[in-house]
Amino acid sequence: MTKEEKLKAINDMNKNTLMETLGIVFTDIGEDFLEGTMPVNSRIHQPLGMLHGGASIAFAESLGSCLSNIVLLGTGSAAVGTNINSNHLKSKREGIVTGRARLTRKGKTLHFLEIEIRDEEHHLICHSTMSNMVIAMNAS
């Protein structure tokens, strides 16, 4: 499967999900990373007119969870989030943010990821770390 085919497939899975509601689009993929964009507008503002921290966390978790599950395709396992820690470092009112999730540890039972969300000038808006537990597909 080509990179373009992979991106189309994962973007198609966003239909009727929170990712579609937030306008998240996956834009680049590699062996240990996944990148995407999210628009910043009034739909995802907090009352002061800035990017809502929860939207940043949802974006980070979407990137991290999707990356872990892409890595696990065909193994009979899936990844589920167990922890996310985010630091909001700079406000954003309008435009586009770009997030990049990077797999820093790919274990048999645990994936650890780092996610950075940046603005158009490459300023760091939010830094997150995330843990995903690897489970059997039929487990819950």
Side-chain angles (χ1 to χ4, degrees), residues 25-28 34-40 51 59-60 63 92 95-101 115-126:
V25 176
F26 298 115
T27 57
D28 198 8
L34 179 63
E35 196 169 278
T37 59
M38 182 177 71
V40 179
L51 172 60
F59 183 28
L63 287 162
K92 178 81 173 153
I96 301 283
V97 289
T98 299
R100 183 179 179 104
I115 304 102
E116 291 186 344
I117 299 173
R118 296 181 177 271
D119 67 11
E120 298 91 339
E121 289 80 38
H122 305 286
H123 296 124
L124 188 59
I125 302 295
C126 179

Side-chain angles (χ1 to χ4, degrees), residues 5-53:
E5 291 169 332
K6 286 180 188 177
L7 288 169
K8 182 180 179 335
I10 59 176
N11 280 310
D12 286 348
M13 291 186 336
N14 284 350
K15 301 282 188 240
N16 300 312
T17 68
L18 179 63
M19 283 76 73
E20 181 178 50
T21 301
L22 295 176
I24 295 169
V25 176
F26 298 115
T27 57
D28 198 8
I29 189 170
E31 287 198 26
D32 68 345
F33 77 91
L34 179 63
E35 196 169 278
T37 59
M38 182 177 71
V40 179
N41 53 46
S42 61
R43 292 181 346 161
I44 60 171
H45 282 169
Q46 43 92 307
L48 296 177
M50 295 180 279
L51 172 60
H52 194 291

Side-chain angles (χ1 to χ4, degrees), residues 37-85:
T37 59
M38 182 177 71
V40 179
N41 53 46
S42 61
R43 292 181 346 161
I44 60 171
H45 282 169
Q46 43 92 307
L48 296 177
M50 295 180 279
L51 172 60
H52 194 291
S56 293
I57 294 169
F59 183 28
E61 185 157 354
S62 298
L63 287 162
S65 292
C66 190
L67 177 56
S68 277
N69 280 295
I70 289 167
V71 167
L72 292 169
L73 280 175
T75 66
S77 295
V80 294
T82 58
N83 185 55
I84 189 161
N85 183 341

